[in-house]
Amino acid sequence: MTAPPLSPSRQHIRVDNTPLGIGMMLGSVLLFSMMNVLVKILTDRYPVAEVTFFRSAFALVPVAAAITLQGGWATSLRTERPWGHVWRSVIGLTSMTMMFWSFHLLPLGDAVALNFSAPLFLTALSVPLLGEKVGIHRWSAVLVGFVGVLIMVRPSGEMFMHLGALVALGAAFAQSFAMVAIRQLSRTEPPNTIVFYFTSFTTLMLALAMPFVWVTPTLTDLGLLVATGLLGGGAQLLMTRGYSLAPAAVIAPFNYTSLLWAVLFGWLLWSELPSVYVTLGACVVAMSGLYILHRETRKRLPPTPPAPSGGGD
């Protein structure tokens, strides 16, 4: 289906500022990493659905502030794709819930490393769902990336039989569908609109489950639960802003610094260190993801003479 044309009122001018974009991405990764630490702590005490509810509900605070400061509510609430937002919210909520569950089941570094497989799934799904052409270079990178995943789950399959590893890979798979949905929505919807409807819909869906899973938090834990939402909402806004200031090829690789934060926090708080298999596999997956990003960016660059002969992606 062809996306409806972008109305003049919904067009937005991009201003390039690469250093600021990199700073925004690094800030986003740090906030997300801090949020992940709180989620791991809290999911040991409260149901995953309850922690996810607070993550969504209080993320609305920074999102609402951003909307108020950037264009106002009338522009941000207007949408041409309501059902697209519903689907993005359902699959995004599935991914987020499984990811938080994996933090509870696995060392933080292991869970984050396995989540790096999401871009690999996205590349495979972009063919049937987005109609994109994927050439031999990117398919090769995907295969190498999945070898990295197999290394992380250990050649013996020991970790693959671990529920936490299956949940983390399931979260990555669901996240790839969420990325597809965001790509489709971004053809007509501004970033603040996508973030607002995702946060609102997931909060409403999780609120329906609260009577069945609610565990009353202590005052201290309530503060931590609220902080997960504020950190997550702020991180999401910083990431969105970063992508609007600089090319994806420049700032996306900085997302891999999240593994460094996960390992550092895991070591400081839980004395967790990733195994040699997880470390090696994460490096392979990261390198394949960076190569896929390189090929996608090169594919989108306008040709410059003399044109290269042969090949393609």
Side-chain angles (χ1 to χ4, degrees):
M1 184 190 308
T2 302
L6 188 64
S7 59
S9 61
R10 295 180 74 78
Q11 294 176 356
H12 37 278
I13 299 173
R14 172 174 171 153
V15 178
D16 286 328
N17 188 331
T18 298
L20 183 58
I22 292 173
M24 291 283 184
M25 188 63 173
L26 289 173
S28 170
V29 169
L30 176 58
L31 293 186
F32 270 132
S33 299
M34 294 168 64
M35 181 201 74
N36 292 343
V37 168
L38 294 183
V39 167
K40 183 171 177 62
I41 292 172
L42 292 165
T43 50
D44 287 337
R45 308 172 190 172
Y46 303 96
V48 173
E50 184 173 345
V51 176
T52 312
F53 168 75
F54 277 93
R55 155 65 177 95
S56 292
F58 284 90
L60 283 169
V61 176
V63 170
I67 289 174
T68 301
L69 295 172
Q70 300 171 9
W73 290 89
T75 300
S76 295
L77 292 181
R78 189 185 310 125
T79 177
E80 301 170 12
R81 309 277 296 282
W83 288 110
H85 288 289
V86 171
W87 165 243
R88 183 269 183 273
S89 299
V90 169
I91 196 63
L93 176 59
T94 301
S95 172
M96 184 163 58
T97 302
M98 295 184 75
M99 184 173 67
F100 288 177
W101 189 17
S102 73
F103 293 163
H104 173 65
L105 297 171
L106 288 172
L108 189 60
D110 291 12
V112 170
L114 286 168
N115 191 251
F116 283 168
S117 60
L120 308 179
F121 290 123
L122 174 62
T123 298
L125 291 173
S126 65
V127 177
L129 298 182
L130 294 173
E132 296 182 358
K133 294 182 179 180
V134 177
I136 186 64
H137 293 280
R138 280 195 288 163
W139 277 128
S140 299
V142 168
L143 292 176
V144 170
F146 281 118
V147 169
V149 173
L150 292 176
I151 293 174
M152 282 192 281
V153 299
R154 301 193 183 122
S156 64
E158 176 187 345
M159 189 176 174
F160 193 70
M161 300 305 295
H162 193 293
L163 177 61
L166 296 176
V167 171
L169 289 173
F173 187 61
Q175 184 182 340
S176 66
F177 275 99
M179 291 176 181
V180 169
I182 292 172
R183 282 192 182 185
Q184 293 170 330
L185 285 170
S186 62
R187 295 168 183 167
T188 59
E189 309 289 293
N192 279 349
T193 304
I194 297 173
V195 173
F196 172 78
Y197 281 110
F198 167 68
T199 309
S200 299
F201 285 155
T202 53
T203 300
L204 291 174
M205 287 186 281
L206 288 162
L208 297 176
M210 286 306 96
F212 306 99
V213 302
W214 179 261
V215 175
T216 302
T218 65
L219 188 60
T220 300
D221 287 349
L222 179 61
L224 296 180
L225 287 164
V226 171
T228 63
L230 298 177
L231 288 169
Q236 205 161 9
L237 290 170
L238 284 179
M239 181 177 64
T240 301
R241 182 61 175 157
Y243 276 107
S244 72
L245 288 169
V250 174
I251 65 171
F254 289 94
N255 186 52
Y256 288 106
T257 59
S258 61
L259 182 58
L260 301 179
W261 285 115
V263 170
L264 176 62
F265 287 136
W267 174 59
L268 290 175
L269 299 176
W270 296 282
S271 299
E272 300 171 346
L273 285 175
S275 69
V276 63
Y277 291 119
V278 171
T279 303
L280 178 60
C283 290
V284 173
V285 171
M287 290 176 65
S288 66
L290 291 173
Y291 186 73
I292 289 172
L293 182 64
H294 163 71
R295 295 298 301 185
E296 286 188 339
T297 304
R298 179 178 171 183
K299 177 169 63 73
R300 285 166 173 76
L301 288 175
T304 55
S309 59
D313 204 15

